[in-house]
Amino acid sequence: MLHTSSPPIFYSFASGAELVKGLAEFILEAQKEALGKKGRFTVALSGGSLPKQLAGLIGNAGVKWDKWHVYYADERVVPLDHEDSNHKLCTDVLFSKVNIPKENIHPIDTTLLEDLEDLSDSYEKQLIDEFASKDSARFPVFDLILLGLGPDGHTASLFPGHELLAEADRWVAYLDDSPKPPLKRITLTYPVINHASRVAFVATGESKQDVLAEIMDDPARTSLPASRVRPTSHGNLYWFVDDAASAKVKYEKSLFKL
Ligand SMILES: O=C1O[C@H](COP(=O)(O)O)[C@@H](O)[C@H](O)[C@H]1O
């Protein structure tokens, strides 16, 4: 039997507050399904504008923080208290405000900042420790990966035209020539992103209008990094955007309901 992945589900919200609320409900649903199956919830978070969209989880009694195991979809190669660190951003806007055990958050090993290969290997090892013994899959199966969308179409640290777009083997890869500062980063690769059970993009604001319309309405012609996120047959792709970002999108908008 031929298995094809489902078309992306596209939610556009009239306000930022509604998006934050809807996203929190969606995450709780993903959490419920994961906990029902295996008692833990594996999540990869992005930096940029994404962490503040998770505000609906703060003070939300439905979130079982002790069951969450959080990794980063990408990380900038800087100390964890550096302004550019995605971990610092997530800590400042989310983790410092909720009751998540520190050991359930998985930042990069900052003793390896000088050696990108060792750093990405060590992050891949953290993923192997989490996933390899539990899933027989060739690639880890995150319950949820939350991605951002740059105005240039990048997502995680997968940038337009970069050789890492072709990485088919590694779980975690590094780059030292990021077109967006800082230069040095590590990132989950497409095989990992596309093996997740759920992948959700979150994008807001006018600056994302053109890139979002290209990705949603011209999928056959675009080769932007975000358009290459296509979960395998067991996964689903979601978009959580606001009406400012989706103003030029013709793709069918779904009514948000769980
Ligand atoms: O550099 C990065 O950019 C993307 C997109 O950021 P945004 O501010 O436009 O949402 C982000 O998803 C990624 O994690 C980050 O390292």
Side-chain angles (χ1 to χ4, degrees):
M1 203 203 316
L2 181 66
H3 291 281
T4 51
S5 52
S6 314
I9 297 169
F10 190 87
Y11 298 122
S12 185
F13 296 84
S15 70
E18 286 169 74
L19 189 158
V20 163
K21 186 167 173 279
L23 183 63
E25 286 174 25
F26 167 79
I27 293 171
L28 283 183
E29 185 64 23
Q31 174 198 263
K32 186 175 153 199
E33 189 181 298
L35 297 188
K37 280 187 189 156
K38 56 195 166 80
R40 53 201 285 132
F41 184 43
T42 51
V43 183
L45 297 182
S46 296
S49 56
L50 185 273
K52 72 172 189 299
Q53 306 292 355
L54 303 177
L57 302 174
I58 299 169
N60 187 324
V63 186
K64 309 291 176 219
W65 289 111
D66 59 323
K67 308 286 189 224
W68 282 50
H69 296 271
V70 180
Y71 296 82
Y72 292 101
D74 72 319
E75 181 57 289
R76 289 89 176 271
V77 179
V78 292
L80 297 180
D81 59 357
H82 192 283
E83 283 307 314
D84 286 337
S85 163
N86 285 344
H87 174 71
K88 173 174 166 41
L89 182 61
C90 289
T91 302
D92 289 350
V93 306
L94 180 64
F95 301 140
S96 62
K97 300 178 176 175
V98 300
N99 203 11
I100 184 167
K102 195 167 180 286
E103 61 276 17
N104 291 18
I105 306 169
H106 299 270
I108 56 172
D109 178 351
T110 52
T111 65
L112 301 172
L113 293 182
E114 297 306 319
D115 189 324
L116 290 178
E117 181 128 22
D118 283 355
L119 181 71
S120 55
D121 281 352
S122 92
Y123 208 66
E124 190 166 284
K125 172 79 173 41
Q126 291 201 53
L127 295 186
I128 291 169
D129 291 345
E130 172 72 48
F131 293 98
S133 56
K134 301 173 191 76
D135 299 303
S136 54
R138 163 76 178 82
F139 293 104
V141 179
F142 275 96
D143 297 310
L144 176 63
I145 297 184
L146 290 167
L147 294 174
L149 171 70
D152 60 352
H154 85 271
T155 191
S157 284
L158 297 162
F159 288 92
H162 199 278
E163 63 187 4
L164 282 189
L165 303 187
E167 178 59 58
D169 184 41
R170 299 206 50 165
W171 295 14
V172 180
Y174 67 87
L175 62 164
D176 59 8
D177 56 357
S178 166
K180 175 180 175 183
L183 290 172
K184 297 180 182 177
R185 293 153 172 257
I186 64 163
T187 184
L188 299 185
T189 59
Y190 284 119
V192 174
I193 294 172
N194 285 331
H195 273 79
S197 298
R198 285 178 168 89
V199 181
F201 279 99
V202 183
T204 58
E206 246 179 78
S207 68
K208 311 280 164 89
Q209 273 181 8
D210 290 330
V211 71
L212 195 54
E214 178 177 335
I215 291 166
M216 297 313 297
D217 296 334
D218 216 354
R221 283 204 309 134
T222 185
S223 58
L224 290 175
S227 69
R228 297 168 181 233
V229 174
R230 292 186 203 111
T232 56
S233 56
H234 65 262
N236 288 301
L237 177 60
Y238 302 83
W239 285 85
F240 284 78
V241 307
D242 65 1
D243 290 351
S246 70
K248 295 182 180 171
V249 172
K250 295 191 184 69
Y251 187 87
E252 185 186 347
K253 298 171 179 80
S254 297
L255 187 65
F256 182 74
K257 60 175 166 30
L258 288 172

